[in-house]
Amino acid sequence: MSPTVPTAPLRPFSAIVFDMDGTLLDTEMVFKQIVWDVSGELGFEMTETVHHAMVGSSHETTNRLLVEAYGVSFPYTIFDEKCRVLMKAKMSEVVPVKTGVHELLAELKARRIPAAVATSSRAPHALGHLGGAGILSMFETVVTRDDVVNPKPHPEPYLMAAKRLGIDPGLCIAVEDSHTGVRAAHAAGLQTIMVPDIVAPSDEISALCVAVMHSLHDLRTAAFAQG
């Protein structure tokens, strides 16, 4: 389904809660290559179908997906550690951000609209990568996998982000790139926008969004269409 920007301005909002990988940080393609390389090294052939199911998922869900796909012999602990080491090395060089991130965060800061992050990544990964990208200070709070009992697609990460901001979920926009994240944000009652990265939206996922957009530049235009 092609991205669509709403012709009318978005509903009034008081805060924006962002997913991290693939939404703020341009890390999903880097991680995809690592996943392919590590899987092959361990003797398993990664597929687009399995990888797409992994996008936006927690470590627990990824573990289950890989065991379901390759059997109980899949060495998830070794796979996870190798991926972490390689990703850390890559991100020590540079942490790339998605198109429009700096402009949108600057606009929010200028308008005194608080921003938060709700991610399935664990705290060291999330805080390290946001800091490495130079944008950690732009967020009032960062909700990680370590902060919640139930990760996405459960609504808890987004509900916690809204609670920490002190703003009703219905007055928050959520920005996501994955099906898992869209389900979580919609279930939490946030005005949900998908900016696809690796995985395109299905009709079901599009129906959970107020819009599917090409980039964060489109979101900035739609959010502040009336100045």
Side-chain angles (χ1 to χ4, degrees):
M1 181 169 290
S2 299
T4 57
V5 178
T7 54
L10 299 171
R11 298 197 310 270
F13 65 96
S14 300
I16 298 185
V17 184
F18 296 88
D19 171 56
M20 188 179 74
D21 291 303
T23 300
L24 289 169
L25 306 183
D26 199 6
T27 48
E28 290 289 11
M29 286 304 295
V30 176
F31 192 64
K32 178 179 180 178
Q33 186 60 56
I34 289 173
V35 165
W36 245 259
D37 291 346
V38 172
S39 297
E41 180 184 334
L42 295 174
F44 297 86
E45 184 179 356
M46 181 55 58
T47 68
E48 292 287 346
T49 299
V50 174
H51 176 254
H52 281 185
M54 291 168 56
V55 173
S57 297
S58 65
H59 291 290
E60 298 95 328
T61 300
T62 299
N63 188 352
R64 177 178 56 77
L65 288 168
L66 291 172
V67 169
E68 287 177 355
Y70 301 110
V72 294
S73 64
F74 187 87
Y76 180 75
T77 301
I78 297 173
F79 169 84
D80 183 55
E81 179 61 24
K82 285 181 176 290
C83 287
R84 285 173 183 271
V85 169
L86 290 172
M87 193 65 176
K88 184 176 181 179
K90 284 285 187 183
M91 294 301 102
S92 68
E93 301 166 10
V94 61
V95 181
V97 299
K98 297 289 288 185
T99 299
V101 165
H102 292 300
E103 294 86 349
L104 178 53
L105 292 180
E107 180 102 32
L108 294 174
K109 184 70 72 174
R111 292 173 178 267
R112 297 185 178 180
I113 297 172
V117 173
T119 176
S120 294
S121 295
R122 296 200 178 276
H125 172 105
L127 300 178
H129 287 189
L130 291 169
I135 58 175
L136 180 59
S137 64
M138 303 296 283
F139 302 103
E140 298 294 322
T141 187
V142 177
V143 177
T144 73
R145 176 63 187 91
D146 297 318
D147 297 313
V148 298
V149 175
N150 304 292
K152 303 174 188 178
H154 195 279
E156 185 181 354
Y158 277 101
L159 292 174
M160 180 172 287
K163 183 177 180 179
R164 286 183 177 180
L165 292 172
I167 296 173
D168 185 276
L171 292 175
C172 297
I173 286 176
V175 190
E176 275 285 353
D177 73 298
S178 73
H179 291 197
T180 297
V182 166
R183 290 189 179 102
H186 180 267
L190 283 74
Q191 185 175 188
T192 306
I193 292 170
M194 185 178 185
V195 182
D197 183 34
I198 288 179
V199 183
S202 62
D203 289 341
E204 174 219 344
I205 292 300
S206 294
L208 301 181
C209 301
V210 296
V212 178
M213 301 185 177
H214 284 287
S215 73
L216 295 181
H217 285 309
D218 289 341
L219 172 55
R220 185 161 61 96
T221 298
F224 304 114
Q226 294 183 329

